[in-house]
Amino acid sequence: MKLKVKNISKKFNSLIAVNNISFEIEKNKVMGLLGPNGCGKTTTIGMMLGLITPTTGQIFINGIVLAPKNRIELLSLMNFASPYIELPKKLTVKQNLEVYARLYGVKEIKQRTSEMIEDLNLQKFLNKKTGELSSGQKNRVALAKSLINKPKLLFLDEPTASLDPDIGDFVREYIEKYKKKNELTILLASHNMKEVERLCDEIIMMKHGQIVDRGTCDQLIKKHGRENLEDTFLKIARSKNELE
Amino acid sequence: MNWNKIFALSLRHLYLIKGSFPRILDLIYWPTIQIFLWGFISKFFTLNSSFYENTVGIILSAAILYDFLFRSSISYNMMFLEEIWSRNFTNLFIAPIRLSEIITALTFTAILRTLIGLVPAALLAIPFFGVSIFNIGIPLIFLLITLYIFGVTLGLLVTAGLVRFGPSFENIAWASLFFLAPLGCIYYPIEILPVWLQIIAKLLPLVHIFEEMRNILIYDIINYFQVFKAILISFLYFIIGVIIFYLSYSGAKNRGTLINMGE
């Protein structure tokens, strides 16, 4: 599924959170959305999920403009995972997966939830309340929910934030494996540069609501004369005028 | 309207109720306390007031009906607040579910929460105070429907406020019904109110409902015109509530408050 963002801006009173950005993600590619805190990443993702109305511009999903009239149709093809939003804490993992499978209109609910449970090793805490899980377990459940409808377009907001290296690696590996088997376009917002290098085909760097640079990891590292993506990020984030 | 999605959202709340005994106890506890409190007051009045002479249970019946309104509204609000408290708000609003389906799911599930609380309390009133709300007869169904529509409407208006202003609007959720109670003429006839307040009170369905309840229990007559007027007024408010909810949702999307909403 192809995502095209055309000249979108978002203004909150006098604050310009996102300023006239455009980009495209080709089908089956992973795009990294990087930038310092407050640069407009969450607002951009919010607009693509239909949670925030852009002040100007349009978002196209497979050539169809995201608008209230086709919101339901397009949302059923997408999903989102973020450690900053949670699933109902008082429901068990199994109940949450069932509820979300139904909300997304999944046809074979039992089969799909079983697949997710097995793939993400959720068996041991399946009947535990979601609020009682550890960060790593919650993260895997959130990932299961985000893939329950076999989305064609997935938004991931810092999917491995606050995870230990082992679980973080498990999640990254799972995303890689899943992508190989399924048609999936991903927009990944992350502050973990190693994760971005490993998963992303292309990167967009945002600052003050604008896109200040884009390219593959290698292209950006080379362009800014740095040794790795972390240093490149720091150079772009700390630069005053040259890129703005 | 996709009934599977409506069922899914209802299921989320049914699991919540089913999974917690203290939650069920909480649903039953407050209506029962309310019924006992008003039961004793009612008993006192029937023994000492000429107005209520030989009409045992008018106040208690009014208390039960008012509690039905209160529980319907609070149930509706609580289910919506649950989404905010559990930080599930964003997940819900990015799921392919229409606002009309969310409203329908909450409306249907709220009746269950309301009945879990109120049926035991209403049944307890029979052996303890000799008062049965069911004595109202067939008109009771119409009175309950009217109260339910109006209760859900109040819930809808509060949830519209929660969407518009965020969790800080929560306090209004608890205060909303107490604000209308004096104008509802629940325990006293409308003539008690000053004339100018009577005009405002008549714009609410509550006055018509509780007047008819008293007519049935005191004079054994019913004016169906008043009952249907109350249903019509409630339904009108419900439509206004739905419009305000949609406007709030649209406003929240403009202000970006739907993302990351939670405690």
Side-chain angles (χ1 to χ4, degrees):
Chain A
M1 181 168 260
K2 185 179 170 179
L3 173 74
K4 185 179 176 185
V5 170
K6 197 177 168 192
N7 303 117
I8 57 163
S9 299
K10 184 63 195 175
K11 205 173 164 186
F12 296 114
N13 298 320
S14 58
L15 173 81
I16 301 170
V18 175
N19 190 0
N20 194 32
I21 65 168
S22 299
F23 63 87
E24 281 181 40
I25 315 177
E26 291 300 326
K27 184 179 166 183
N28 240 1
K29 297 285 178 191
V30 182
M31 172 80 85
L33 187 60
L34 307 188
N37 292 329
C39 72
K41 297 191 297 288
T42 305
T43 305
T44 304
I45 291 176
M47 287 192 278
M48 287 184 276
L49 287 166
L51 285 173
I52 299 174
T53 308
T55 308
T56 59
Q58 286 178 310
I59 294 156
F60 298 88
I61 293 157
N62 260 4
I64 304 165
V65 68
L66 180 63
K69 64 177 179 183
N70 54 30
R71 179 182 156 267
I72 299 298
E73 183 196 336
L74 293 175
L75 283 179
S76 62
L77 303 170
M78 303 182 204
N79 216 317
F80 176 55
S82 164
Y84 308 112
I85 59 167
E86 292 183 27
L87 291 165
K89 296 178 181 74
K90 302 280 166 61
L91 264 60
T92 65
V93 172
K94 194 177 173 184
Q95 287 169 342
N96 265 320
L97 291 179
E98 185 196 344
V99 166
Y100 274 93
R102 286 180 187 279
L103 280 177
Y104 277 89
V106 173
K107 293 273 189 302
E108 302 288 336
I109 294 173
K110 276 193 177 169
Q111 191 191 325
R112 185 60 185 154
T113 46
S114 298
E115 279 169 16
M116 289 286 93
I117 289 161
E118 203 183 313
D119 284 4
L120 286 156
N121 292 337
L122 309 179
Q123 297 93 335
K124 279 183 187 168
F125 45 87
L126 202 55
N127 292 313
K128 228 176 157 183
K129 286 184 179 166
T130 311
E132 293 167 3
L133 304 179
S134 68
S135 297
Q137 290 169 334
K138 269 186 197 169
N139 196 286
R140 274 145 63 196
V141 176
L143 194 59
K145 173 258 155 190
S146 74
L147 295 171
I148 197 86
N149 60 326
K150 291 190 180 170
K152 304 282 180 227
L153 177 59
L154 180 64
F155 297 94
L156 296 172
D157 187 12
E158 300 186 44
T160 58
S162 78
L163 296 184
D164 69 49
D166 181 36
I167 298 173
D169 187 63
F170 172 86
V171 170
R172 283 186 281 274
E173 199 177 314
Y174 180 72
I175 294 169
E176 279 180 321
K177 276 187 193 167
Y178 186 90
K179 243 195 108 297
K180 276 180 191 160
K181 285 187 198 163
N182 300 276
E183 182 204 317
L184 181 62
T185 307
I186 300 177
L187 182 76
L188 169 74
S190 178
H191 288 140
N192 184 328
M193 297 303 131
K194 285 192 176 154
E195 176 172 285
V196 172
E197 280 184 278
R198 179 168 166 182
L199 296 175
C200 298
D201 300 298
E202 214 183 341
I203 296 166
I204 290 171
M205 298 288 270
M206 282 185 78
K207 195 176 169 186
H208 302 317
Q210 289 178 301
I211 293 175
V212 289
D213 217 335
R214 67 179 84 194
T216 64
C217 291
D218 290 340
Q219 282 170 347
L220 289 178
I221 292 167
K222 205 172 167 187
K223 183 178 170 185
H224 292 276
R226 293 293 190 267
E227 286 188 355
N228 53 46
L229 193 62
E230 184 130 1
D231 288 345
T232 310
F233 176 91
L234 289 175
K235 187 195 169 194
I236 295 172
R238 289 173 183 173
S239 63
K240 291 272 180 206
N241 300 315
E242 63 205 87
L243 295 163
E244 289 172 22
Chain B
M1 210 62 106
N2 184 325
W3 290 97
N4 283 329
K5 291 180 185 178
I6 291 167
F7 175 68
L9 197 52
S10 299
L11 194 65
R12 176 250 190 277
H13 293 286
L14 295 180
Y15 279 146
L16 191 68
I17 297 168
K18 200 184 99 183
S20 167
F21 179 68
R23 202 175 283 267
I24 297 172
L25 205 63
D26 183 59
L27 287 176
I28 298 170
Y29 176 77
W30 292 111
T32 307
I33 292 293
Q34 180 88 334
I35 297 313
F36 270 87
L37 177 69
W38 284 104
F40 290 123
I41 294 172
S42 172
K43 201 172 174 182
F44 171 76
F45 279 172
T46 51
L47 294 173
N48 294 281
S49 161
S50 59
F51 182 79
Y52 290 115
E53 201 177 4
N54 300 324
T55 54
V56 178
I58 288 179
I59 290 183
L60 188 54
S61 299
I64 293 172
L65 288 184
Y66 176 59
D67 214 55
F68 182 79
L69 170 81
F70 186 82
R71 297 293 144 199
S72 352
S73 180
I74 288 294
S75 294
Y76 197 96
N77 295 338
M78 283 294 287
M79 288 188 292
F80 203 79
L81 280 165
E82 286 284 355
E83 307 296 0
I84 295 176
W85 291 334
S86 63
R87 299 185 62 85
N88 182 45
F89 207 78
T90 307
N91 274 327
L92 180 66
F93 279 93
I94 60 159
I97 182 165
R98 290 182 172 83
L99 284 191
S100 57
E101 288 161 353
I102 295 176
I103 292 170
T104 309
L106 295 183
T107 302
F108 280 128
T109 321
I111 185 81
L112 188 79
R113 279 181 63 113
T114 307
L115 291 177
I116 289 173
L118 215 63
V119 168
L123 291 176
L124 280 175
I126 301 171
F128 278 95
F129 302 104
V131 173
S132 172
I133 187 82
F134 307 106
N135 285 344
I136 294 175
I138 300 290
L140 177 68
I141 298 168
F142 297 109
L143 299 183
L144 290 178
I145 290 172
T146 317
L147 286 168
Y148 191 68
I149 298 171
F150 193 60
V152 162
T153 302
L154 294 173
L156 198 57
L157 289 171
V158 172
T159 52
L162 288 166
V163 168
R164 167 69 178 79
F165 299 104
S168 57
F169 200 75
E170 188 181 327
N171 286 340
I172 305 291
W174 308 120
S176 62
L177 272 165
F178 295 104
F179 171 73
L180 287 176
L183 290 176
C185 300
I186 298 153
Y187 303 110
Y188 42 79
I190 190 168
E191 290 77 26
I192 299 294
L193 297 178
V195 178
W196 65 274
L197 265 184
Q198 286 185 30
I199 297 165
I200 298 170
K202 280 179 181 169
L203 296 174
L204 297 172
L206 300 183
V207 167
H208 309 287
I209 294 166
F210 288 99
E211 283 290 305
E212 279 320 301
M213 182 210 73
R214 280 187 285 271
N215 278 340
I216 295 166
L217 293 175
I218 300 172
Y219 308 113
D220 205 19
I221 53 164
I222 176 149
N223 182 346
Y224 274 104
F225 175 73
Q226 288 297 321
V227 174
F228 289 116
K229 194 160 102 180
I231 292 178
L232 200 72
I233 295 171
S234 288
F235 196 67
L236 197 71
Y237 279 113
F238 179 73
I239 292 169
I240 293 169
V242 171
I243 293 168
I244 291 174
F245 186 81
Y246 271 79
L247 290 174
S248 292
Y249 174 73
S250 174
K253 277 176 71 175
N254 278 325
R255 279 182 311 281
T257 49
L258 290 178
I259 203 158
N260 290 335
M261 189 186 278
E263 279 205 319

